[in-house]
């Protein structure tokens, strides 16, 4: 019975995380962490680590799908990725010194805000407009934005993908599909860095939950990414907005149960 409950909880967590990753480039830990803490009693720091590792394959597979459809910008995102990786380690190390109730907090309010942003003010940037931004300006914004995103991801294991998407669309002028594809590409490396840092500091997590969450998140991320790449920009904006809002509401409800 206990195993059945674990499978069900991990399936729901993985489904929510995978859909968020494939459609919106969100961090899987934003969903998995709070659910594992609330329904399985897993320590928050360990749950965040499981969420981050679950994000690795899900983001990598999603990024591959976006790349096949010409919606991944590797060259211009390297400076952003390096900044994110460095500050993810810093954030993860800082988080290890904080009480568990602090680690249990999430970015649900920001999820609701950013979700509404994509619904009410869709990103209509074209790929031609995206490439017109001066390289120096793009570089500076990438370093600043990456530092903030990385620290958030490493510190709470949630919100990194959401903030990444916001930075790519609002500050770096990315077209919507390209932004999601680039976001999941960077998040694969960010999640790996954050997850390994969590396990080195906090030890090996519950292996059953880890394997289940990785498998279910990967499955749903693959499905969501394929659907997203077949959608037009307007539809993708709406889907991203709805996914973020529903995720934020779900996490608020989950946290209220604790």
């Amino acid at each position: 019975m206990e195993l059945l409950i674990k499978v069900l909880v991990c399936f729901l967590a993985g489904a929510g995380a995978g859909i968020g990753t494939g459609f919106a480039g969100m961090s899987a830990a934003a969903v998995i962490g709070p659910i594992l803490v609330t329904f399985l009693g897993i320590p928050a720091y360990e749950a965040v680590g499981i969420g981050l590792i679950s994000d690795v394959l899900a983001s990598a597979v999603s990024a591959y799908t976006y790349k096949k459809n010409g919606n991944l910008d590797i060259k211009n995102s390297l400076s952003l990725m390096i900044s994110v990786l460095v500050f993810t380690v810093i954030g993860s190390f800082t988080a290890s010194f904080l009480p568990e109730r602090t680690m249990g907090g999430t970015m649900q309010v920001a999820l609701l805000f950013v979700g509404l942003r994509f619904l009410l003010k869709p990103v209509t940037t074209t790929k031609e407009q995206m490439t017109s931004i001066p390289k120096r300006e793009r570089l500076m914004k990438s370093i600043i934005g990456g530092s903030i995103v990385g620290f958030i991801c490493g510190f709470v294991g949630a919100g990194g993908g959401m903030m990444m998407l916001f930075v790519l669309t609002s500050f770096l002028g990315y077209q919507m599909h390209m932004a999601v594809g680039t976001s999941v590409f960077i998040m694969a490396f960010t999640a790996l860095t954050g997850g390994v840092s969590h396990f080195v500091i906090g030890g090996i997590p519950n292996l059953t939950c880890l394997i289940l969450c990785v498998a279910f998140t990967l499955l749903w991320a693959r499905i969501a990414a394929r659907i997203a790449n077949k959608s037009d920009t307007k539809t993708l904006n709406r889907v991203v907005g709805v996914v973020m809002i529903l995720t934020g509401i779900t996490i608020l409800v989950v946290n209220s149960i604790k």
Side-chain angles (χ1 to χ4, degrees):
M1 186 64 181
E2 182 180 347
L3 178 59
L4 180 61
I5 293 175
K6 278 188 179 181
V7 172
L8 178 60
V9 171
C10 291
F11 174 80
L12 293 175
I19 291 171
T21 298
F23 273 121
M26 289 170 50
S27 170
V31 178
I32 291 176
I35 290 179
L36 294 186
V37 170
T38 302
F39 297 106
L40 297 180
I42 293 177
Y45 194 79
E46 180 181 334
V48 168
I50 291 175
L52 287 169
I53 291 299
S54 299
D55 207 5
V56 177
L57 286 178
S59 292
V61 168
S62 296
Y64 176 72
T65 302
Y66 278 90
K67 184 180 184 300
K68 286 200 305 181
N69 289 272
N71 292 316
L72 174 57
D73 180 21
I74 297 177
K75 181 180 178 181
N76 292 315
S77 65
L78 292 180
S79 56
L80 177 64
M81 182 173 71
I82 293 172
S83 299
V84 169
L85 293 177
V86 170
F87 277 85
T88 295
V89 176
I90 295 174
S92 180
F93 181 73
T94 303
S96 67
F97 294 100
L98 298 177
E100 197 161 294
R101 63 177 178 276
T102 304
M103 287 298 300
T106 61
M107 298 290 290
Q108 59 263 35
V109 175
L111 278 169
L112 295 174
F113 174 79
V114 177
L116 285 172
R117 185 260 190 220
F118 286 117
L119 282 177
L120 301 178
K121 190 179 180 181
V123 176
T124 57
T125 307
T126 64
K127 291 184 179 180
E128 290 73 23
Q129 292 173 322
M130 184 186 83
T131 57
S132 66
I133 299 176
K135 291 184 178 180
R136 184 181 179 84
E137 178 183 344
R138 184 187 298 276
L139 177 63
M140 292 302 296
K141 288 183 177 180
S142 294
I143 293 174
I144 295 172
S147 300
I148 296 172
V149 171
F151 188 82
I152 290 173
C153 183
F155 186 73
V156 298
M162 172 202 64
M163 292 300 296
M164 183 84 69
L165 189 60
F166 185 77
V167 167
L168 287 169
T169 55
S170 300
F171 295 106
L172 296 178
Y174 271 62
Q175 184 263 352
M176 191 62 181
H177 286 81
M178 189 73 74
V180 177
T182 303
S183 176
V184 291
F185 169 73
I186 296 176
M187 287 307 297
F189 294 94
T190 305
L192 178 61
T193 304
V196 170
S197 297
H198 269 64
F199 294 161
V200 168
I201 296 170
I204 301 299
N206 184 300
L207 292 179
T208 302
C209 290
L210 176 63
I211 294 171
L212 289 172
C213 286
V214 168
F216 290 134
T217 304
L218 176 61
L219 170 65
W220 285 99
R222 172 67 170 164
I223 294 172
R226 294 183 67 178
I227 295 174
N229 276 278
K230 295 179 180 179
S231 305
D232 56 38
T233 300
K234 186 176 181 180
T235 300
L236 185 58
N237 270 275
R238 289 176 176 172
V239 172
V240 168
V242 170
V243 167
M244 286 189 172
I245 291 172
L246 290 178
T247 301
I249 293 174
T250 299
I251 297 173
L252 279 169
V253 172
V254 169
N255 284 339
S256 69
I257 297 175
K258 292 191 288 184

